[in-house]
Amino acid sequence: MEPITTSFKDLPFFFSLFLFVYLLGYLYLFRTWTPSSRPLASSCLISLLHGVSAVYLAATALLSDPDRGFSSPNTKSQNSVLDFSSAYFLADLLHLAVFPSPAGGDELFAAHHAAVLFVFLTCRYLVSHGACALLALLIVAEATSACQNSWTLADARGPDAPLAARLRRFVTLPFYASYSVCRCVLAPVLIVKMTWFYVSGGADGVIPRWVWVSWTVVIVVAVTVSILWIRNLWVLFFEEKRNSRIAKKIQ
């Protein structure tokens, strides 16, 4: 098993990386976009970087640990992934603070990021156990990052950009379907297994009860909000399909 580390060096390095990528997007890649869409596009860029990288890094960290389990000690690579993800959420919190969305709703995102940071940082720096459970959930959560951020970027670009409009139509169904499987099926299964393990005393002596209870609450609330969000998107999707068919019949 890899040695456990309590070094703080990775977190500021990864934060600097996400900040650099954000500024690269804002000042260069999306400089011709509208003032309202540039911050959102830059946020999507670091979200895409985080999501795709986190899936690979977390999977590698889990597979390299022969003693992995819901209460096993964190390895060095697992701690690095926790730092990587924590740095992303810190960077996106900074984005929300500097560029509040005109449409509102930032409070929900900020609360989500802060809660996830609490989970990751307590696992990383307080108890140093349980990363396997969190990284497994991270993989499920970020598996749809490429589709989701492509969909969000295309939507932010606006219907006046033909390529963006085509991209949005192309990725909508795969994104909705994959997100539904991950958030409505896989995530609840993992949560039930993790919670049952903790309730049965599997983490006694290594993860304090108040810690795993708080983790469970945060994760359940986050997944529930995700399920409600994708449900609303499906409702809108089928309403648009129905209205489109009605419009064609009228013509």
Side-chain angles (χ1 to χ4, degrees):
M1 186 178 70
E2 298 176 53
I4 299 172
T5 178
T6 56
S7 171
F8 288 83
K9 294 180 180 178
D10 285 348
L11 188 57
F13 170 76
F14 289 137
F15 179 77
S16 300
L17 172 65
F18 283 113
L19 187 59
F20 170 77
V21 173
Y22 184 94
L23 293 174
L24 177 66
Y26 187 82
L27 298 174
Y28 181 71
L29 297 178
F30 307 116
R31 66 185 184 278
T32 61
W33 290 34
T34 64
S36 61
S37 61
R38 283 173 70 192
L40 175 59
S42 303
S43 175
C44 285
L45 184 63
I46 62 171
S47 177
L48 181 63
L49 171 63
H50 168 254
V52 174
S53 303
V55 170
Y56 172 77
L57 294 173
T60 302
L62 290 178
L63 293 174
S64 65
D65 181 11
D67 301 320
R68 58 186 176 273
F70 286 149
S71 63
S72 59
N74 299 353
T75 64
K76 182 178 179 179
S77 58
Q78 290 164 7
N79 279 337
S80 292
V81 180
L82 292 174
D83 281 338
F84 180 77
S85 289
S86 297
Y88 159 70
F89 286 111
L90 285 170
D92 209 43
L93 273 175
L94 180 60
H95 152 75
L96 292 172
V98 176
F99 297 107
S101 172
D106 287 346
E107 295 82 2
L108 181 61
F109 283 104
H112 168 269
H113 287 9
V116 173
L117 274 170
F118 166 79
V119 172
F120 284 173
L121 293 177
T122 52
C123 176
R124 169 71 173 90
Y125 295 104
L126 181 64
V127 297
S128 298
H129 287 72
C132 286
L134 302 184
L135 294 188
L137 286 165
L138 179 64
I139 292 172
V140 171
E142 298 297 343
T144 59
S145 177
C147 280
Q148 181 174 354
N149 283 291
S150 298
W151 180 83
T152 306
L153 278 170
D155 188 58
R157 189 67 177 92
D160 57 321
L163 180 60
R166 288 197 298 271
L167 176 62
R168 189 178 187 277
R169 287 194 299 269
F170 177 76
V171 301
T172 292
L173 194 55
F175 164 50
Y176 288 8
S178 59
Y179 193 95
S180 298
V181 171
C182 288
R183 301 301 179 101
C184 303
V185 180
L186 298 180
V189 169
L190 273 172
I191 292 170
V192 169
K193 289 185 176 182
M194 181 186 76
T195 304
W196 179 253
F197 176 85
Y198 290 146
V199 170
S200 301
D204 289 355
V206 291
I207 303 178
R209 178 161 304 211
W210 71 266
V211 172
W212 66 255
V213 168
S214 61
W215 290 358
T216 304
V217 171
V218 168
I219 293 167
V220 168
V221 171
V223 171
T224 300
V225 172
S226 296
I227 292 172
L228 293 175
W229 182 67
I230 193 62
R231 174 191 174 277
N232 291 337
L233 287 180
W234 276 118
V235 170
L236 291 174
F237 175 81
F238 287 116
E239 284 182 354
E240 290 175 0
K241 289 292 185 182
R242 184 174 66 251
N243 292 337
S244 177
R245 287 196 298 268
I246 292 173
K248 287 180 180 179
K249 288 180 180 179
I250 293 175
Q251 291 176 353

